[in-house]
Amino acid sequence: MLKNCIVAQSGGPTAAINASLAGVIRGIQESEEYDRIYGALHGIHGVFREEFLDLTAMREADRRLLWHTPASYLGSCRYKMPDMEQQPEVYEQIFRIFEKYQIGAFFYIGGNDSMDTVEKLARYGEAVHSPIRFAGVPKTIDNDLMSTDHTPGFGSAAKYIATTMLEIAHDTAVYKVPCVTIVEIMGRDAGWLTAASALARNSYNQTPQLIYLPEVPFRKEQFTRDLKKKLQENEDVVVAVSEGIRDEKGEYISSATAAADRFGHAQLSGTGKALENFVRGEFGIKVRSVELNILQRCAAHLVSRQDLTEAEELGQEAVTFTRQGKTGFMTVIHRLSDEPYRYKIQTVSLDQVANAARTVPRNWINEEGNDVTEEMMRYLRPLVQGEVQTDFQNGIPVYLDISHLTGFTE
Amino acid sequence: MLKNCIVAQSGGPTAAINASLAGVIRGIQESEEYDRIYGALHGIHGVFREEFLDLTAMREADRRLLWHTPASYLGSCRYKMPDMEQQPEVYEQIFRIFEKYQIGAFFYIGGNDSMDTVEKLARYGEAVHSPIRFAGVPKTIDNDLMSTDHTPGFGSAAKYIATTMLEIAHDTAVYKVPCVTIVEIMGRDAGWLTAASALARNSYNQTPQLIYLPEVPFRKEQFTRDLKKKLQENEDVVVAVSEGIRDEKGEYISSATAAADRFGHAQLSGTGKALENFVRGEFGIKVRSVELNILQRCAAHLVSRQDLTEAEELGQEAVTFTRQGKTGFMTVIHRLSDEPYRYKIQTVSLDQVANAARTVPRNWINEEGNDVTEEMMRYLRPLVQGEVQTDFQNGIPVYLDISHLTGFTE
């Protein structure tokens, strides 16, 4: 009788990944079919090491606090599963542990690389005729997962970016001198997050005046012309750029040497700084760069209620689908309409998701390649709606205790 | 009959500088003595150019929105008044404009350099036996003004820094690999803002594990020893550093070439990046730097209610004091007790304020120079208390229209 579950989180943290965890926990707690919930610490590593946090009896108050606690409550990892043909012993070990803990379902909340892990486990499970069900729950602020309208974590990051951009618009408007501000936003290959900065525009400000995404080659000559034109219209110009913008040869604009992580992804930084130096050299005016950095993915004090609601649903529904006998799937959001915003939760087979990235369609970027179109705005608007009240104690937000990760207790 | 007033803002924007403006407007609106309120655009420049926004009839709803709108609603400037002995014509011009507009009182909301402007105007006024009253209202996130317990803008920046630091603690705790995160915080000569990062500590996290302020010379050897020790205790170590930390010779750690602004202040950037590179070289482990940049001064969605309340009182009381005949003063906060927190608004003569900076007392920093003491925490705690509800429209904050600064209307 396989009645227990494992849930784990993997990849870069977001402000919504714990809402999905809360959804999985709730789904399991409310089911009659499943018994214990083991939270594996640090992704699949926690399974190998049998490091589990027993979440079975998590109280509702804690689950609510977990819902809007930033980053991965269970910790994370960046681990690429070997091919099962080459290293079957890795899979044998994991499945022995599954058996030991009487695991009936495995839930993995993560992005592209994490879905690769679930997909491989599901495939091995199928090969050995295991009854265990494997489910992926999407997350990534980058919004680059295939087969889903958008990904949990993106809406909250988008709201943070747009809010910050509006506040930067107020800040940069104060001096009456020509001034350029470069805001560097996350996004290696996909410009979704940078596009979201356009949500800051309102009746009294057009910030950011220029937007550059990785989907269109970045030409310094064009940028110089764009900037010259905007500086004629406004004294201060704010430019939103993705960290991953590249020139026509495909080389990163970033001035820093790009090192590669273990998945072969380039580790970028310094795109904003590189453009800052370029503008200073070309224009000789006041220029500053601001890198939103990890703040855009962990600012739980400013999240989208819509985002967290969907994140929870994707987790909870993953449990429902496994109870219906499904395996080897990821839950996804299928949009039915923009306005009023309607969607439904579905599943897709994991082999349609893993190891591919969804970029911004070219026709959602304007012809000049320096702004986004109204289609993009219609897509973005529903995703940042609604706020979540953060509780404060002594002026500082209250989040769920992560002493199991920090190793510190007072 | 001199019955009108001018109010202006100067220096770097903060999240509380408009609360002081709201206080001045409220004070004048509620007085019988004063008639029109001219808001000079871009500080003293607006007086020279006679660019005024008539604030006389500002409605209460707008004044409430102004209260928590970020950055300087009237715009700002960085202008150093010449000596009146050397260029009396500058003063003559200003006082002619004062006469033309029948100005009875002048309110300047700003920091050190701005108080220098008010002080010079007051001194000239006295020399020519002008009946005009001159008042300074303090602001600066740096908290380095003399003669006041603290400055408006500091509490909100401190709350933003502590909240962000807590969220970074959650973010950095997820991976089980040695990792160092350097968080660069504003503060050229004074470490107040960096010290505030310690408010992020709670029952489950001790982030930041190390704190370095400009008040203590930064020794790389000591830093290496400190970091080694902390890395033995924790897998991930977060270091809070002021942008202005210097070595024993007084040279900035910043890797960037320090250019000087027109007040002779060094324009710093890159301290975090410099330390990031240093740690990578010495330790060879994962390291990242985060620069909070202008976000820490303009994040109006996350302000301290205590800070905005005091900022408003300092503006409103400045009006009251001029009505009592006072001139050449700045309003200040005099703390009566830490717990319960009690204070009163007083005045100090401007010559006690201008052109001097208040740094962190050495005994509020620990002996090793890598953390702050309990005295500092007692000082900081009351300043970040209380939240302000931001209104959102379509998921983005609603602030007061600044089309008079941006030149843009839909």
Side-chain angles (χ1 to χ4, degrees):
Chain A
M1 213 178 73
L2 302 173
K3 52 182 183 170
N4 300 325
C5 301
I6 287 177
V7 58
Q9 296 169 309
S10 170
T14 79
I17 190 167
N18 286 335
S20 289
L21 176 60
V24 171
I25 295 171
R26 186 177 170 179
I28 297 171
Q29 283 180 335
E30 291 177 359
S31 81
E32 307 254 307
E33 191 169 341
Y34 296 125
D35 189 0
R36 306 212 71 77
I37 317 166
Y38 296 107
L41 293 179
H42 302 289
I44 195 74
H45 284 309
V47 180
F48 282 118
R49 295 181 190 132
E50 300 179 48
E51 284 178 2
F52 298 116
L53 204 63
D54 195 329
L55 302 168
T56 315
M58 181 180 266
R59 292 169 307 167
E60 196 187 333
D62 283 346
R63 214 180 60 210
R64 281 176 188 280
L65 189 53
L66 172 65
W67 193 67
H68 62 93
T69 289
S72 315
Y73 178 70
L74 296 174
S76 185
C77 71
R78 293 202 177 275
Y79 175 79
K80 199 164 171 69
M81 288 287 283
D83 281 340
M84 62 173 164
E85 289 76 16
Q86 285 170 8
Q87 288 182 262
E89 66 279 12
V90 171
Y91 291 83
E92 286 157 16
Q93 186 192 354
I94 290 179
F95 276 72
R96 267 199 305 276
I97 294 164
F98 285 160
E99 205 180 338
K100 176 174 169 188
Y101 288 88
Q102 298 188 299
I103 301 306
F106 176 86
F107 301 92
Y108 214 40
I109 310 167
N112 268 317
D113 300 323
S114 316
M115 292 308 131
D116 178 72
T117 297
V118 200
E119 202 264 332
K120 282 171 170 162
L121 289 173
R123 208 143 38 83
Y124 183 85
E126 201 181 7
V128 300
H129 307 291
S130 163
I132 304 172
R133 291 146 199 177
F134 293 91
V137 180
K139 75 85 212 171
T140 170
I141 63 163
D142 291 329
N143 199 36
D144 62 352
L145 278 184
M146 299 301 282
S147 310
T148 184
D149 180 73
H150 56 279
T151 54
F154 172 67
S156 293
K159 189 186 189 90
Y160 177 85
I161 289 165
T163 297
T164 300
M165 189 57 83
L166 175 60
E167 291 170 342
I168 288 175
H170 278 260
D171 190 280
T172 54
V174 307
Y175 295 115
K176 217 177 163 60
V177 290
C179 170
V180 175
T181 306
I182 315 280
V183 182
E184 179 187 328
I185 297 167
M186 281 182 170
R188 211 160 5 208
D189 299 305
W192 299 107
L193 286 170
T194 305
S197 66
L199 291 167
R201 292 174 184 157
N202 59 22
S203 64
Y204 61 80
N205 100 88
Q206 281 294 85
T207 302
Q209 283 78 14
L210 293 167
I211 298 177
Y212 299 98
L213 312 185
E215 283 81 357
V216 176
F218 184 84
R219 296 178 176 86
K220 282 187 172 174
E221 305 70 38
Q222 179 64 46
F223 174 57
T224 305
R225 277 197 298 277
D226 291 349
L227 196 52
K228 230 170 236 169
K229 187 156 167 268
K230 292 294 176 187
L231 279 165
Q232 279 163 5
E233 296 166 15
N234 310 273
E235 259 140 1
D236 75 285
V237 174
V238 179
V239 183
V241 291
S242 296
E243 58 177 336
I245 54 168
R246 272 157 282 195
D247 65 18
E248 296 102 315
K249 293 177 202 148
E251 276 174 36
Y252 289 113
I253 301 301
S254 161
S255 63
T257 315
D261 70 14
R262 271 184 284 171
F263 285 95
H265 298 156
Q267 287 286 355
L268 304 179
S269 75
T271 304
K273 210 58 172 171
L275 285 188
E276 176 192 325
N277 293 334
F278 175 74
V279 173
R280 190 175 290 115
E282 289 289 304
F283 290 81
I285 60 176
K286 189 181 162 189
V287 54
R288 136 187 292 147
S289 64
V290 179
E291 188 186 346
L292 298 191
N293 215 310
I294 55 173
L295 312 182
Q296 65 201 292
R297 74 180 186 199
C298 66
H301 71 274
L302 179 67
V303 286
S304 154
R305 177 170 282 278
Q306 185 60 43
D307 183 31
L308 264 54
T309 302
E310 292 172 356
E312 182 180 11
E313 287 171 353
L314 287 163
Q316 196 171 352
E317 289 301 303
V319 177
T320 308
F321 288 120
T322 61
R323 287 173 59 199
Q324 293 166 359
K326 276 199 172 243
T327 185
F329 69 89
M330 179 179 85
T331 47
V332 294
I333 297 165
H334 178 69
R335 186 186 298 224
L336 299 169
S337 72
D338 291 333
E339 207 175 338
Y341 175 58
R342 287 171 53 244
Y343 65 96
K344 60 179 181 181
I345 307 287
Q346 297 179 327
T347 62
V348 289
S349 173
L350 279 166
D351 50 26
Q352 287 177 47
V353 182
N355 301 318
R358 193 174 60 101
T359 55
V360 174
R362 182 59 184 87
N363 61 338
W364 286 16
I365 303 169
N366 71 350
E367 211 179 313
E368 298 91 322
N370 60 19
D371 208 335
V372 294
T373 64
E374 178 54 25
E375 283 106 312
M376 173 64 94
M377 301 310 288
R378 274 203 299 274
Y379 168 81
L380 291 170
R381 279 188 205 107
L383 312 184
V384 299
Q385 301 296 317
E387 289 72 51
V388 173
Q389 185 82 45
T390 308
D391 284 331
F392 286 79
Q393 196 166 38
N394 289 318
I396 310 298
V398 176
Y399 297 129
L400 194 57
D401 185 326
I402 52 161
S403 51
H404 55 280
L405 297 179
T406 61
F408 174 80
T409 41
E410 212 169 39
Chain B
M1 214 177 75
L2 303 172
K3 53 182 181 173
N4 300 326
C5 301
I6 287 176
V7 60
Q9 296 169 308
S10 170
T14 78
I17 190 167
N18 286 336
S20 290
L21 176 59
V24 170
I25 295 171
R26 184 176 173 179
I28 296 170
Q29 284 180 335
E30 290 179 358
S31 82
E32 307 254 307
E33 193 170 338
Y34 296 125
D35 189 0
R36 304 211 73 76
I37 317 167
Y38 296 108
L41 293 179
H42 301 288
I44 194 74
H45 284 310
V47 179
F48 281 119
R49 297 179 188 134
E50 300 179 49
E51 285 177 2
F52 298 115
L53 204 64
D54 195 329
L55 303 168
T56 315
M58 181 178 266
R59 291 169 308 169
E60 198 187 331
D62 283 346
R63 213 180 62 212
R64 281 176 188 279
L65 189 52
L66 172 65
W67 192 68
H68 62 92
T69 289
S72 314
Y73 177 70
L74 296 174
S76 184
C77 71
R78 293 202 177 272
Y79 176 77
K80 197 164 173 70
M81 288 287 282
D83 280 341
M84 63 173 164
E85 289 77 16
Q86 284 170 8
Q87 288 182 261
E89 66 279 10
V90 172
Y91 292 82
E92 286 157 16
Q93 187 193 352
I94 291 178
F95 276 72
R96 268 198 306 275
I97 294 164
F98 285 161
E99 207 180 336
K100 177 175 169 188
Y101 289 87
Q102 299 189 299
I103 300 306
F106 176 88
F107 302 92
Y108 214 40
I109 310 166
N112 268 316
D113 300 323
S114 316
M115 293 308 131
D116 178 72
T117 297
V118 200
E119 201 264 331
K120 282 171 171 162
L121 288 173
R123 209 145 35 84
Y124 182 84
E126 199 182 8
V128 299
H129 307 290
S130 162
I132 304 171
R133 291 145 199 179
F134 294 91
V137 180
K139 76 85 215 170
T140 172
I141 63 163
D142 290 329
N143 199 35
D144 61 353
L145 278 182
M146 300 299 284
S147 310
T148 184
D149 179 74
H150 57 279
T151 55
F154 172 67
S156 292
K159 189 186 188 91
Y160 177 86
I161 290 164
T163 296
T164 300
M165 188 57 83
L166 175 60
E167 291 169 343
I168 289 176
H170 278 260
D171 191 279
T172 55
V174 306
Y175 294 116
K176 217 176 162 64
V177 289
C179 170
V180 175
T181 306
I182 315 280
V183 181
E184 179 186 328
I185 298 167
M186 280 183 170
R188 215 163 358 212
D189 299 305
W192 298 107
L193 286 169
T194 306
S197 64
L199 291 167
R201 292 173 184 158
N202 59 23
S203 63
Y204 61 81
N205 101 87
Q206 280 293 84
T207 301
Q209 282 79 13
L210 293 166
I211 299 176
Y212 298 98
L213 312 185
E215 283 81 355
V216 176
F218 183 85
R219 296 178 177 86
K220 282 188 171 172
E221 305 71 39
Q222 178 65 45
F223 173 58
T224 306
R225 276 198 298 274
D226 291 349
L227 196 51
K228 227 169 240 171
K229 188 157 167 267
K230 292 293 174 186
L231 279 166
Q232 279 163 4
E233 295 165 16
N234 309 274
E235 258 140 0
D236 75 286
V237 175
V238 180
V239 183
V241 290
S242 297
E243 58 177 335
I245 52 167
R246 271 157 282 193
D247 65 18
E248 296 103 316
K249 291 177 202 147
E251 277 174 36
Y252 290 112
I253 300 302
S254 161
S255 62
T257 315
D261 71 13
R262 274 184 281 169
F263 286 95
H265 298 157
Q267 287 285 356
L268 304 179
S269 75
T271 304
K273 211 56 173 172
L275 284 188
E276 176 191 326
N277 293 334
F278 176 75
V279 173
R280 191 174 289 115
E282 290 287 304
F283 290 81
I285 58 176
K286 188 179 163 193
V287 55
R288 137 186 291 148
S289 64
V290 179
E291 189 185 347
L292 298 191
N293 216 310
I294 55 174
L295 313 182
Q296 65 200 294
R297 74 182 185 198
C298 66
H301 72 273
L302 180 67
V303 287
S304 153
R305 176 169 284 277
Q306 184 60 42
D307 183 30
L308 264 52
T309 303
E310 292 172 355
E312 181 180 13
E313 287 172 351
L314 287 162
Q316 196 171 353
E317 290 301 302
V319 177
T320 308
F321 288 121
T322 62
R323 288 173 60 200
Q324 292 167 359
K326 275 197 174 248
T327 185
F329 68 88
M330 180 179 87
T331 47
V332 294
I333 297 164
H334 178 70
R335 186 186 297 225
L336 299 168
S337 71
D338 292 333
E339 207 176 336
Y341 175 56
R342 287 171 52 243
Y343 64 96
K344 60 180 180 181
I345 307 287
Q346 297 179 327
T347 62
V348 288
S349 174
L350 279 165
D351 50 25
Q352 288 177 44
V353 181
N355 302 315
R358 193 174 60 101
T359 55
V360 173
R362 183 59 184 88
N363 61 337
W364 286 17
I365 304 168
N366 72 348
E367 209 178 317
E368 299 89 322
N370 61 17
D371 208 334
V372 295
T373 63
E374 177 55 25
E375 283 105 312
M376 173 63 94
M377 301 309 287
R378 274 202 299 272
Y379 169 82
L380 292 170
R381 279 188 205 108
L383 311 184
V384 298
Q385 300 296 317
E387 289 72 50
V388 173
Q389 184 81 44
T390 307
D391 284 332
F392 286 77
Q393 196 166 37
N394 289 319
I396 310 298
V398 176
Y399 297 130
L400 194 57
D401 185 325
I402 52 162
S403 51
H404 56 280
L405 297 179
T406 62
F408 174 80
T409 43
E410 213 169 37

